[in-house]
Amino acid sequence: MDREQQILALIRQNPFISQIEIASAIGISRSAVAGYIAALTKKGTIRGRAYVTSDEQTVMCIGGANLDSKAASKMTIRLGSSNPVTVTESCGGVARNIADTLAGLSCKTALLTVVGDDKAGQWVLEETRKRGVDVSQTIVLQGENTGTYTALLDATGEMFLAFANMEIYDKCIPQLLMDKWSHIAASQLIIADTNLPADTLQELIERCKEEGITLFIDPVSSEKAKKLPQELHGVTAIFPNLEEACQLAGASVEIIDQDYDKLARAIQARGVKHVFITLGSTGVMYVGEEGEQLFPPIPTKVVEVTGAGDALVAGIAYGVMHQHTYMDACTYGLAASHITLQTDQSAASELTEERLLQTIQSITKGD
């Protein structure tokens, strides 16, 4: 084993090992160790403040992880009265859903979030872990309540009313992010949602810019998109829907007349390299360093739209992780969304790597 491999083996065992400890373990001088460390850092094999080795197959998802409840009314909803419903519970949260979906696509995935020391938090983490997501960096906050999202659906399946309790994410301060930075920086790709506070998002964007780390942002909602700083240099790709895109571009939905490319360019002007605007039945508008293109959707028999946007982000991330261009990766995103739309799950268990590649193949053949 050569010296670099010996040093990497020691660092993997203990990312916080000192250079003196390394020198003693392998029988060379501390200055020689410093030279090897500098070379490994320059090559990108080691990243971050601690000696954490980069893992070129890992996606770190940072943001929301909630307990989702859906109450589906069995008849027309009557206000001020008791309504018979069917209640289902599932794991939710944009970052968690994306991590879950990527794990289902055989990607090595980690989730950094905050949950309360309650049954909901335990359940969400355990279910996410079962899906193959590394939740070891998630922080359990004593005395806090795990985020919850409760939706009331009418008899047709459309949302009638929803309640969100997301105050716990205000606790995800920049210092918490920095405490975990060595683990974050060791990933090949970071995907963050705007459940994070504004100052935490700004810190994350700036650090990714400084260290050249690929960063995807999911705006979550037009209101939460307001948390993003005006300066978005450091954001590799962003995935707003039309309403969120208008918020980011400073435009009104009412005056947008299918000028989706102009809308995307306005967002790109804030510093984003790749902009993907999701347009429902119209498809996805891409504007970025690779050009411009409106991607039509794959014809789909829709069961439920919940989770389709998260699946799109996961599919594009999968494509990029497998060395495809961002424009080509958009097809992977559309295919992942297509599969998810045919289920009633936010993170569809049917969305496997095999199913995704089969769908891509069918699209390529024009089936």
Side-chain angles (χ1 to χ4, degrees):
M1 184 184 293
D2 65 26
R3 292 299 191 199
E4 285 192 356
Q5 291 305 312
Q6 284 181 302
I7 290 170
L8 282 173
L10 290 169
I11 287 171
R12 288 191 177 101
Q13 290 172 15
N14 176 16
F16 295 93
I17 191 170
S18 70
Q19 291 184 2
I20 293 174
E21 289 171 321
I22 293 172
S24 175
I26 62 176
I28 61 175
S29 68
R30 191 209 61 79
S31 59
V33 171
Y36 284 116
I37 293 292
L40 288 165
T41 303
K42 188 174 182 180
K43 288 194 287 187
T45 307
I46 295 175
R47 298 182 187 175
R49 290 175 182 172
Y51 301 138
V52 175
T53 55
S54 65
D55 187 332
E56 302 207 341
Q57 300 304 315
T58 300
V59 182
M60 172 69 81
C61 299
I62 309 174
N66 313 320
L67 175 64
D68 284 2
S69 298
K70 292 179 190 175
S73 182
K74 295 180 178 180
M75 57 184 66
T76 302
I77 293 174
R78 294 169 296 167
L79 296 176
S81 180
S82 177
N83 293 271
V85 298
T86 300
V87 178
T88 57
E89 289 188 336
S90 61
C91 298
V94 171
R96 197 221 68 86
N97 287 348
I98 294 171
D100 186 321
T101 302
L102 281 167
L105 293 173
S106 303
C107 292
K108 188 175 181 183
T109 313
L111 174 66
L112 173 53
T113 187
V114 287
V115 298
D117 59 338
D118 50 18
K119 288 183 178 178
Q122 292 174 13
W123 186 74
V124 168
L125 290 185
E126 183 57 32
E127 290 300 306
T128 305
R129 188 183 294 110
K130 286 179 183 176
R131 283 284 287 167
V133 179
D134 175 5
V135 297
S136 63
Q137 297 309 306
T138 287
I139 298 162
V140 179
L141 297 176
Q142 301 301 311
E144 297 291 337
N145 295 317
T146 297
T148 58
Y149 177 82
T150 306
L152 173 60
L153 309 180
D154 64 22
T156 67
E158 292 293 320
M159 185 199 297
F160 182 81
L161 190 64
F163 303 94
N165 179 6
M166 307 287 181
E167 292 180 3
I168 192 170
Y169 300 121
D170 294 338
K171 308 289 184 182
C172 198
I173 59 175
Q175 185 56 51
L176 183 150
L177 207 66
M178 292 306 100
D179 290 345
K180 299 286 185 179
W181 188 252
S182 58
H183 298 278
I184 295 169
S187 306
Q188 183 187 359
L189 167 64
I190 297 170
I191 303 177
D193 70 35
T194 55
N195 283 302
L196 299 173
D199 53 353
T200 303
L201 284 165
Q202 181 161 0
E203 182 74 19
L204 178 63
I205 291 167
E206 288 177 356
R207 287 299 297 270
C208 286
K209 177 186 175 183
E210 289 171 5
E211 300 191 24
I213 301 170
T214 303
L215 173 65
F216 288 6
I217 295 285
D218 189 314
V220 179
S221 70
S222 57
E223 187 61 33
K224 290 183 179 180
K226 295 176 183 177
K227 297 181 189 179
L228 290 167
Q230 182 61 34
E231 170 67 53
L232 292 177
H233 290 282
V235 177
T236 310
I238 197 164
F239 306 85
N241 61 22
L242 181 58
E243 185 179 341
E244 293 156 5
C246 289
Q247 168 61 44
L248 291 166
S252 171
V253 177
E254 289 74 24
I255 64 171
I256 296 298
D257 184 26
Q258 297 186 349
D259 288 335
Y260 306 129
D261 54 341
K262 292 181 182 177
L263 198 60
R265 281 196 293 273
I267 299 169
Q268 189 186 23
R270 290 176 62 176
V272 183
K273 293 180 180 179
H274 305 276
V275 180
F276 297 85
I277 302 177
T278 58
L279 300 164
S281 59
T282 303
V284 175
M285 182 74 226
Y286 168 80
V287 170
E289 293 183 340
E290 297 171 5
E292 299 180 7
Q293 186 171 335
L294 178 62
F295 291 83
I298 302 168
T300 308
K301 186 177 181 180
V302 178
V303 172
E304 191 178 314
V305 298
T306 307
D310 300 342
L312 180 99
V313 177
I316 291 173
Y318 175 93
V320 170
M321 291 283 286
H322 287 78
Q323 312 306 314
H324 293 283
T325 65
Y326 280 81
M327 288 185 78
D328 287 345
C330 192
T331 303
Y332 284 81
L334 286 165
S337 183
H338 165 71
I339 294 165
T340 301
L341 284 166
Q342 296 174 73
T343 76
D344 60 358
Q345 300 170 300
S346 298
S349 56
E350 289 91 339
L351 180 48
T352 62
E353 184 176 29
E354 183 181 10
R355 177 85 180 274
L356 179 69
L357 296 178
Q358 286 174 348
T359 303
I360 293 290
Q361 195 172 28
S362 296
I363 296 168
T364 306
K365 288 182 178 178
D367 294 351

